[in-house]
Amino acid sequence: MAGAMLRLRAIDSHTGGEPTRVVVSGGPDLGGGPLAARRDRFHREFDRFRSAIVNEPRGTDAIVGAMLVEPDDPACAAGVFFFNNVGPIGMCGHGTIGLVVTLAFLGRIGPGVHRVETPVGLVTATLEPGNRVRVDNVASRRVFRDVRIDVPAIGPVTGDIAWGGNWFYLVDAGALELSLADVPALTARCRAIRAALNAAGHPDVDHVELFGPPQGGGDARNFVLCPGGAYDRSPCGTGTSAKLACLAADGKLAEGAPWIQESILGTTFEGRYAWRDRAAGTIAPTIAGTAFVTAESTLVIDERDALAWGIR
Ligand code: PYC
């Protein structure tokens, strides 16, 4: 392999400002079978590909990578697993919207309903005019309400823990303004909250979502800190699903009613839910947003380059 030159074909897009890089060919051979097993194999045996695709010098901390693979179920339009600058993520709402727009850009799908296999379950995506995509996400639920933790240098913080395809701790931002100018302070706060929460016995919760009043005519605005320290430029599809699960559990949003979630940039997703199992608090969330392709490229991995596999 010394001196090898690998080429991966990638399509970049952004969904409400948050980038997705879909690798459409050139990735390692992961065999067939369940998506979760292929995703695990990718991270166990080929993690250098993840780093080469999303880390500097080819990528940035904010990029979510998406490996397009053959679906296990031939009724699906695609199989995909997502990853970021530090490792795998479960589902990705903005990434699925980006993937569907990418598949349309490539001429592989047209308008209408498409099934997509992910490691955490099957999702259905509907491509509508104007690059709008509606994603019927995986079942979501609030697992713990009012979890209080003591955060060093901040004090007591109370929030809910919910699953929306990834694990979230959702906290009211209180007097903090959710604005781009405050990203460094919001990031530091979320990092401190996550460290305290993980230390307090919730090691799986890797996304922190601060929520506050809308600033652009929506229902609420959020700031989401992702596992690798980047913030989500979009309203976060899995984070919006987790939020819908909390709203449903609290009786604050009726089944089928729209919820406009603003990102820190002011871009929006429209969310809705239907009860899946009311007694268990499980909802079927739908999120809708818009993506645009920003680049089609060949990633070159030249093994003579000491940083060919990314800065890790
Ligand atoms: O949209 O679900 C999402 C997401 C997760 C991490 C970044 N975006």
Side-chain angles (χ1 to χ4, degrees):
M1 199 69 165
M5 186 94 82
L6 303 182
R7 288 183 164 80
L8 285 72
R9 185 165 181 228
I11 308 291
D12 289 358
S13 62
H14 82 90
T15 308
E18 180 75 350
T20 306
R21 174 165 288 167
V22 180
V23 174
V24 297
S25 64
D29 181 4
L30 301 169
L35 256 286
R38 282 187 268 170
R39 186 265 321 262
D40 291 349
R41 181 163 180 219
F42 179 76
H43 289 289
R44 212 175 40 244
E45 297 176 26
F46 301 103
D47 191 61
R48 65 188 189 283
F49 276 87
R50 177 195 58 74
S51 167
I53 294 162
V54 296
N55 285 352
E56 294 180 13
R58 279 178 210 84
T60 71
D61 283 357
I63 289 191
V64 168
M67 190 62 74
L68 183 66
V69 295
E70 280 301 312
D72 205 20
D73 175 353
C76 291
V80 68
F81 56 82
F82 297 101
F83 47 89
N84 62 18
N85 53 338
V86 291
I89 55 175
M91 231 305 273
C92 184
H94 93 267
T96 303
I97 294 169
L99 169 72
V100 168
V101 166
T102 292
L103 292 174
F105 176 82
L106 293 170
R108 296 193 185 181
I109 61 169
V113 181
H114 305 281
R115 287 148 60 95
V116 178
E117 255 176 30
T118 82
V120 292
L122 197 75
V123 301
T124 303
T126 307
L127 177 60
E128 299 173 346
N131 284 10
R132 190 160 176 83
V133 179
R134 210 153 20 90
V135 179
D136 296 321
N137 192 14
V138 296
S140 302
R141 65 193 191 284
R142 179 173 69 191
V143 180
F144 296 113
R145 179 171 192 241
D146 289 343
V147 177
R148 191 191 130 124
I149 51 170
D150 288 307
V151 184
I154 292 179
V157 170
T158 302
D160 292 355
I161 294 178
W163 170 257
N166 292 298
W167 284 108
F168 289 83
Y169 184 55
L170 298 100
V171 181
D172 192 328
L176 289 176
E177 205 191 322
L178 300 183
S179 72
L180 267 184
D182 291 323
V183 161
L186 296 169
T187 299
R189 189 175 184 88
C190 287
R191 276 182 182 276
I193 290 174
R194 182 170 60 201
L197 184 73
N198 293 164
H202 299 285
D204 293 337
V205 181
D206 52 5
H207 291 71
V208 175
E209 179 166 341
L210 300 179
F211 60 87
Q215 297 173 32
D219 291 296
R221 177 166 290 222
N222 70 19
F223 172 86
V224 176
L225 185 73
C226 298
Y231 69 94
D232 196 332
R233 278 72 171 157
S234 85
C236 193
T238 50
T240 300
S241 301
K243 176 73 180 171
L244 291 169
C246 296
L247 291 165
D250 287 335
K252 289 183 174 166
L253 183 71
E255 190 175 21
W259 178 265
I260 306 298
Q261 183 70 60
E262 298 174 6
S263 73
I264 187 81
L265 297 186
T267 55
T268 56
F269 284 164
E270 181 180 284
R272 291 171 199 268
Y273 75 91
W275 282 110
R276 208 161 152 147
D277 181 342
R278 193 188 279 258
T282 310
I283 61 160
T286 299
I287 49 146
T290 304
F292 291 93
V293 168
T294 53
E296 48 179 335
S297 55
T298 301
L299 310 182
V300 176
I301 301 176
D302 180 342
E303 289 207 314
R304 293 169 306 174
D305 174 2
L307 298 177
W309 294 102
I311 301 171
R312 316 194 226 185

